[in-house]
Amino acid sequence: MADHAPGNTNSGTDTQKYSLEQVVTTALALQLPVAVWRFPSASGANACISFNSAIHIEQPELENSPFGFFFCPFVVGEQPTLFIKADIVHSSETGLLTFSDDVTQTQKQEFIVALQRSQSIKQNWHLHASETINQQTEAGFKDAVAEAITTINNGYMEKVVLSRTATHPLPAGFNLIAIYSLMLKNYPNGFVSLVSVPEAGTWLGASPEILVSVDTDNVFRTVALAGTQPATQGEPVGNAIWRQKEIEEQGMVERYILSCFKKLRLREYTEVGPRTIVAGNLMHLRTDFSVDLTEVDFPTLGSDMLELLHPTSAVCGLPKEPALHFIKAHEGYNRSYYSGYLGPVNSPDGTHLYVNLRCMQLLKDQAILYAGAGITGESDAEKEWQETQYKMQTMGKILSNF
């Protein structure tokens, strides 16, 4: 974290310790945007809060951004791409708050005073500006899959990802931080997030998929993640048997990443995989790509790849344009921030953006669950429906076990 100017009493670290629940409850009570995240296999979560409304941006420039958190929709422009500037940062491990240099003494004092009475504040969360729920029925989803298979076999596209939603009532005594803590426990290998922004609403997720990452050693990373089957408790991942359909689907995502490297004339990269990984109750095929930016002179690779990759073939299809057109015509609802991306940028741990998968959106009394499946010419509508059922269990079980 950046050093603070000598004598600046508005910034720096507050030595009083606070819980994550106190900090998030206070931010929401003050109508401030907040993002919470925990990296895969990490021991603690971090939160950032902005004293202003989340900033609407066109196309993120990762390299020049201040420390903060990006939250981007599936279709750029249909909902705003949001940036939550890290005016306040909280670590669940230390319990400490750090204020940026931009924070005024008045803002700091108002937040601290609100924190002192956080236990008496009724917990709430930001709601989307519109609570209209458009759902894809089972029959509608299967019809769209059948139409996609015909379109693919007619040569108009290679693959398309179709998704759907389902609603789940919020359990009695629902508590935002308690359910986030349950997600942390149940998905130790996921990027576990909580984002709550005025008008954009509140989202919880446990994503297995890196979109773009540039770590503190200046190493760029992205992954090709595709293919899905249920994970069997206690069964070694080495015993997984993959159908030709999943192998081809994962290969398409790999080739798309390589085509992006080719567009940028990048030849110096490392590729590892594909290998089987476990994410919650599911297994996937994953290939890791990395570029050492200390050896390759490409300072804007993060931003350039982000623009080329999103939305990836793993959540949209190939080629991107006809797949996206098919989704808009046949999916039957607006994905909003599902299958967009989110994550911290220029944090003390670097920049790490993940695809917003295995997620749910909170309404006042219920949650919207999201899931999708990759459709190829070898797909079967019933099996694709079952795949979305498996994926929804990630968040569904969290709500049921609360």
Side-chain angles (χ1 to χ4, degrees):
M1 215 166 290
D3 292 330
H4 300 287
N8 186 344
T9 57
N10 301 337
S11 61
T13 301
D14 191 312
T15 56
Q16 177 69 41
K17 295 185 178 182
Y18 304 97
S19 70
L20 181 63
E21 183 164 15
Q22 284 179 293
V23 172
V24 172
T25 299
T26 301
L28 296 176
L30 296 174
Q31 292 292 300
L32 301 176
V34 57
V36 185
W37 68 93
R38 191 218 56 200
F39 293 119
S41 304
S43 55
N46 295 295
C48 77
I49 298 160
S50 173
F51 278 111
N52 300 305
S53 299
I55 301 168
H56 295 197
I57 56 175
E58 293 297 323
Q59 180 61 38
E61 291 185 14
L62 306 183
E63 297 76 23
N64 299 320
S65 173
F67 177 19
F69 193 96
F70 278 121
F71 193 49
C72 179
F74 170 61
V75 178
V76 176
E78 289 193 356
Q79 280 80 32
T81 296
L82 301 173
F83 176 67
I84 302 168
K85 184 175 173 294
D87 289 327
I88 306 175
V89 179
H90 176 261
S91 165
S92 69
E93 283 192 297
T94 66
L96 299 177
L97 289 176
T98 302
F99 295 84
S100 78
D101 291 339
D102 297 330
V103 175
T104 67
Q105 186 66 23
T106 300
Q107 289 172 323
K108 180 178 178 179
Q109 289 304 318
E110 284 180 353
F111 194 83
I112 295 295
V113 168
L115 264 175
Q116 309 298 344
R117 52 184 177 83
S118 60
Q119 289 185 339
S120 63
I121 299 174
K122 181 183 177 183
Q123 191 183 79
N124 226 323
W125 50 87
H126 297 302
L127 300 176
H128 193 275
S130 170
E131 287 235 344
T132 303
I133 306 171
N134 295 318
Q135 293 196 78
Q136 177 69 287
T137 63
E138 180 176 354
F141 179 84
K142 290 180 177 178
D143 286 347
V145 171
E147 183 67 26
I149 293 169
T150 300
T151 304
I152 289 166
N153 289 331
N154 286 337
Y156 292 105
M157 55 187 178
E158 293 181 66
K159 168 192 171 182
V160 66
V161 179
L162 293 176
S163 69
R164 67 182 185 90
T165 63
T167 57
H168 194 298
L170 295 184
F174 179 86
N175 178 284
L176 188 60
I177 298 303
I179 206 153
Y180 182 73
S181 298
L182 193 58
M183 289 168 58
L184 294 176
K185 181 180 178 181
N186 280 269
Y187 302 104
N189 298 321
F191 176 78
V192 183
S193 61
L194 159 60
V195 180
S196 190
V197 178
E199 297 189 357
T202 300
W203 296 72
L204 291 150
S207 176
E209 185 173 353
I210 298 169
L211 179 61
V212 163
S213 169
V214 181
D215 65 19
T216 52
D217 294 323
N218 217 19
V219 175
F220 166 90
R221 290 185 173 85
T222 189
V223 304
L225 187 80
T228 300
Q229 63 175 288
T232 303
Q233 187 72 29
E235 185 74 15
V237 294
N239 292 349
I241 299 173
W242 294 96
R243 296 179 300 160
Q244 187 65 26
K245 185 258 181 184
E246 281 94 7
I247 294 169
E248 289 181 356
E249 187 184 348
Q250 206 271 344
M252 289 179 190
V253 182
E254 280 189 27
R255 291 195 298 274
Y256 183 71
I257 291 173
L258 293 173
S259 73
C260 292
F261 285 158
K262 189 174 181 180
K263 285 179 182 177
L264 298 174
R265 299 181 179 178
L266 178 71
R267 296 180 180 85
E268 300 84 3
Y269 59 85
T270 300
E271 179 180 351
V272 178
R275 57 195 174 93
T276 302
I277 61 117
V278 175
N281 60 325
L282 300 173
M283 292 191 294
H284 305 285
L285 284 168
R286 169 171 157 166
T287 301
D288 291 76
F289 296 88
S290 62
V291 179
D292 189 339
L293 296 177
T294 62
E295 297 179 0
V296 178
D297 185 20
F298 209 133
T300 62
L301 182 61
S303 293
D304 292 344
M305 282 296 287
L306 179 63
E307 187 169 4
L308 288 172
L309 285 173
H310 180 68
T312 71
S313 55
V315 297
C316 181
L318 280 172
K320 185 182 289 188
E321 289 74 18
L324 186 57
H325 178 77
F326 188 92
I327 289 168
K328 290 182 176 180
H330 295 88
E331 205 163 60
Y333 80 105
N334 189 321
R335 291 190 188 184
S336 186
Y337 291 92
Y338 162 66
S339 68
Y341 63 80
L342 73 172
V345 59
N346 290 330
S347 76
D349 300 302
T351 293
H352 304 277
L353 303 178
Y354 284 74
V355 183
N356 194 19
L357 302 174
R358 313 296 184 272
C359 65
M360 62 180 162
Q361 179 186 1
L362 297 186
L363 305 181
K364 185 177 180 181
D365 300 308
Q366 56 188 339
I368 306 175
L369 311 185
Y370 295 81
I375 314 303
T376 68
E378 305 299 316
S379 288
D380 174 82
E382 177 61 34
K383 288 179 180 177
E384 303 303 344
W385 172 262
Q386 288 301 324
E387 181 173 321
T388 63
Q389 294 281 73
Y390 293 139
K391 289 177 176 176
M392 283 183 176
Q393 287 177 7
T394 300
M395 292 295 105
K397 284 182 178 178
I398 291 291
L399 289 169
S400 299
N401 294 338
F402 181 77

